[in-house]
Amino acid sequence: MRTGGGKGANQAVAARRAGGASVAFVGAVGTDPDGEMLREALLADDIDVSGLSQVDGPSGTALISVDAAAENTIVVVPGANAVPTSLTTAQRDLVNAANVVLTQLEVPTALVLDAAAARNNQAWHLLNAAPSAPFVTDGAALLLSVDVLIVNEHEALDAAGVDDLDTAVTALASRVRALVVTLGRHGSLVVCGDERADVPAFAADPIDTTGAGDTFCGVFAATLDASGRSPGTVDIPLLLQAARGGAAAAALAVARSGAQDAVPTASEVSAFIERTNA
């Protein structure tokens, strides 16, 4: 089955559909038929695609297998995602107008740095450091641009270049305003300054974990956007609210097949949280 995907696109759909945010997507597709399919998938969720450029060659593709335990293995062929290393003027204007800029590492680091530099001084920069990779070359500059770093356990170890999670958390948290480490069925850890808090996972019966992290990130970003707060006013209660909303959306997503197809609606997320709190 072929369907719309890519980490950035999945996160955009989650922010829009499950988080209720107004979303503009900045990225690239190829000149192949998949490029038009990817564009149409974003338009179906009323996402602004004026920042979606087209480059010669194939679009990015991910080959995904899901095992009996609902865990996934993903092989990514970057395609068009690997081409741009800087934003166009139109893309830079879109980023500058945003309240929250959510980036990930399926595109060149130079492009992420350019997006971070293009944002306005009241906007959040959230980096989901995935796919997992050590922070080399531009890594130090990249972290300096980040307000909230979101990683899973393996990504935290890779990003910090260590093999102990506590050490990784301490190292990464000292370099960003806030750190969120997602831990699957064990919930997530939120760190802001000297404060740390655990966010329990919602009970779920997973059939496919593909896109769960992207769903979490999109809803997390949408929550920060809805708060009207700036990075300078970040605190644990706001981050916990964002992480809880992301966790609820992710729990619903893993009970469905696919990535974008599995993202719940905002009303489904709200109803799920209400049932859980009842």
Side-chain angles (χ1 to χ4, degrees):
M1 179 180 68
R2 298 178 72 84
T3 185
K7 293 195 68 63
N10 294 343
Q11 292 170 5
V13 168
R16 177 63 182 151
R17 188 190 304 167
S22 176
V23 178
F25 181 75
V26 173
V29 294
T31 49
D32 57 349
D34 286 343
E36 187 58 29
M37 180 270 288
L38 293 167
R39 184 186 299 273
E40 291 299 322
L42 293 169
L43 285 171
D45 273 285
D46 195 27
I47 292 170
D48 181 350
V49 296
S50 60
L52 182 61
S53 62
Q54 186 178 60
V55 299
D56 288 336
S59 301
T61 302
L63 307 175
I64 305 169
S65 64
V66 181
D67 65 20
E71 296 297 328
N72 61 77
T73 300
I74 304 175
V75 177
V76 176
V77 181
N81 287 322
V83 176
T85 56
S86 62
L87 301 176
T88 66
T89 299
Q91 290 173 332
R92 189 168 284 106
D93 289 343
L94 279 174
V95 171
N96 185 256
N99 299 321
V100 179
V101 178
L102 173 59
T103 62
Q104 38 70 40
L105 299 180
E106 277 188 346
V107 298
T109 303
L111 190 62
V112 177
L113 284 167
D114 197 27
R119 77 193 193 280
N120 69 73
N121 58 15
Q122 294 298 307
W124 298 81
H125 177 203
L126 277 59
L127 171 65
N128 176 216
S132 186
F135 275 5
V136 295
T137 59
D138 292 328
L142 188 58
L143 283 182
L144 286 174
S145 76
V146 174
D147 297 304
V148 183
L149 177 65
I150 304 176
V151 287
N152 65 25
E153 180 177 355
H154 302 295
E155 292 156 0
L157 298 175
D158 278 350
V162 298
D163 58 8
D164 174 73
L165 184 59
D166 287 338
T167 302
V169 167
T170 299
L172 294 174
S174 69
R175 302 175 69 183
V176 293
R177 289 184 186 273
L179 171 69
V180 179
V181 183
T182 59
L183 302 167
R185 61 187 177 86
H186 298 296
S188 60
L189 170 67
V190 176
V191 185
C192 183
D194 294 330
E195 295 185 89
R196 296 189 180 198
D198 294 312
V199 179
F202 287 84
D205 186 13
I207 62 172
D208 184 355
T209 58
T210 306
D214 294 335
T215 299
F216 178 98
C217 291
V219 173
F220 192 103
T223 304
L224 295 187
D225 178 56
S227 75
R229 303 268 295 275
S230 68
T233 61
V234 63
D235 58 21
I236 279 284
L238 174 58
L239 297 172
L240 293 180
Q241 177 189 357
R244 182 166 173 78
L252 289 170
V254 299
R256 304 169 178 175
S257 296
Q260 288 180 21
D261 293 342
V263 176
T265 64
S267 60
E268 287 176 319
V269 175
S270 296
F272 180 62
I273 292 176
E274 288 180 8
R275 290 196 305 272
T276 304
N277 290 337

